Amino acid sequence: MVRVVAINASPRKDQGHTGMILKPFLEGMKDKGAEVDLFYASELKVKPCSCGHLYCWHKSPGECIYQDSMTKLYSAAKNAQILVVASPVYSPMPGDLQNIINRFVALLDPVLEFRNGRTRAKLRADVQLEKVVLVSGSGWWERENVNLLAHVIKEFSENASITYAGTIARPHIYAMRTSEGISPEGEKVLLAIRQAAVELMENGEFSQEILDAISRPLFSREVYEEYLG
Ligand SMILES: Cc1cc2nc3c(=O)[nH]c(=O)nc-3n(C[C@H](O)[C@H](O)[C@H](O)COP(=O)(O)O)c2cc1C
């Protein structure tokens, strides 16, 4: 069975836009038999990495000096094959998520390799993670707003020699909702997100077609520019 560990980094948890798009993604994975362990970054108490000496590599391999909420996240991540990072674009991410990402360093083997012109680490032998996915909603009109966050999460994956499976990006995410709830176009986006999860489970990757359907403009740039004044 495929085990998934998901982190919702939105301070608004299930009430936020991030929760709205994460839900169908996780449901699509569950439909295909995945077991999902969902964490909310704002509920975890994660201290910032502050020892600066990579104590978790050299002094006590695999053990962070802090005993906090990361302990349960380490244990879930060790037993999962897929990590889903769900985050709003916050130029680039909420601070809670950055702390979690930094603390993941304890799951790395302290042996660096130079590969294809880049310095890379790999996961410790007791960590099963194989893939990382980013699910991200953003406020501004253009999809490119997610690029900085996607770059950070991709580098985080590749530094740990984990495959970055891709970015589920939903720009001008506010347009998915009206005062009456999710709009018909918004519902189509949610269906596409669910389909993307099925693709990941069945094929191990996303088709460009589904990624484009998820990110497609819900109104034109001209309308957006008019709205901005
Ligand atoms: C501190 C902060 C920074 C933000 N920076 C960006 C940004 O650079 N680009 C963007 O498209 N949206 C930005 N936004 C908008 C959020 O991405 C958007 O409101 C998102 O839907 C919030 O997710 P949530 O509803 O799950 O909290 C920012 C919002 C906040 C609060």
Side-chain angles (χ1 to χ4, degrees):
M1 181 203 291
V2 174
R3 275 187 294 271
V4 176
V5 60
I7 302 168
N8 180 346
S10 167
R12 302 200 300 148
K13 299 194 276 184
D14 289 336
Q15 305 310 313
H17 294 99
T18 308
M20 172 177 72
I21 57 174
L22 177 60
K23 188 166 176 260
F25 192 74
L26 297 183
E27 281 172 358
M29 294 185 115
K30 286 183 202 161
D31 283 351
K32 286 284 145 190
E35 188 180 279
V36 177
D37 213 350
L38 172 61
F39 293 85
Y40 296 92
S42 62
E43 282 179 1
L44 300 172
K45 300 275 176 278
V46 176
K47 294 197 180 94
C49 176
S50 60
C51 77
H53 300 299
L54 287 166
Y55 178 98
C56 59
W57 281 16
H58 305 300
K59 285 257 170 69
S60 170
E63 293 276 322
C64 180
I65 51 169
Y66 296 126
Q67 299 295 315
D68 57 16
S69 300
M70 273 314 279
T71 309
K72 56 182 174 185
L73 203 47
Y74 287 144
S75 147
K78 276 182 183 173
N79 294 311
Q81 288 75 45
I82 302 178
L83 170 65
V84 177
V85 178
S87 176
V89 170
Y90 260 30
S91 321
M93 73 179 89
D96 292 335
L97 178 60
Q98 182 67 67
N99 282 345
I100 291 170
I101 284 178
N102 292 356
R103 294 279 301 282
F104 265 116
V105 75
L107 297 184
L108 299 179
D109 214 342
V111 180
L112 296 173
E113 291 171 1
F114 199 63
R115 263 185 266 137
N116 302 323
R118 296 296 309 275
T119 304
R120 303 294 195 194
K122 59 181 189 316
L123 292 167
R124 299 177 59 79
D126 59 345
V127 187
Q128 297 177 23
L129 281 178
E130 292 164 10
K131 288 196 169 102
V132 173
V133 178
L134 171 65
V135 174
S136 181
S138 55
W140 310 171
W141 187 80
E142 69 281 15
R143 187 198 182 280
E144 289 75 8
N145 257 296
V146 78
N147 287 359
L148 179 57
L149 175 59
H151 184 72
V152 172
I153 302 301
K154 184 168 185 281
E155 281 286 306
F156 158 72
S157 315
E158 293 178 352
N159 282 341
S161 304
I162 315 173
T163 302
Y164 184 66
T167 310
I168 302 292
R170 181 56 252 170
H172 51 280
I173 195 164
Y174 306 105
M176 288 178 67
R177 281 178 178 161
T178 68
S179 52
E180 274 126 54
I182 296 174
S183 67
E185 283 305 301
E187 290 289 1
K188 285 188 203 161
V189 170
L190 295 182
L191 265 180
I193 291 173
R194 196 177 182 122
Q195 183 55 33
V198 170
E199 283 188 5
L200 181 70
M201 294 295 289
E202 286 181 346
N203 312 327
E205 58 186 17
F206 302 117
S207 65
Q208 194 54 49
E209 198 186 358
I210 204 78
L211 295 180
D212 291 345
I214 293 165
S215 301
R216 72 179 190 280
L218 297 181
F219 52 80
S220 71
R221 200 189 70 192
E222 288 71 26
V223 168
Y224 181 65
E225 285 183 76
E226 228 169 82
Y227 162 78
L228 292 180

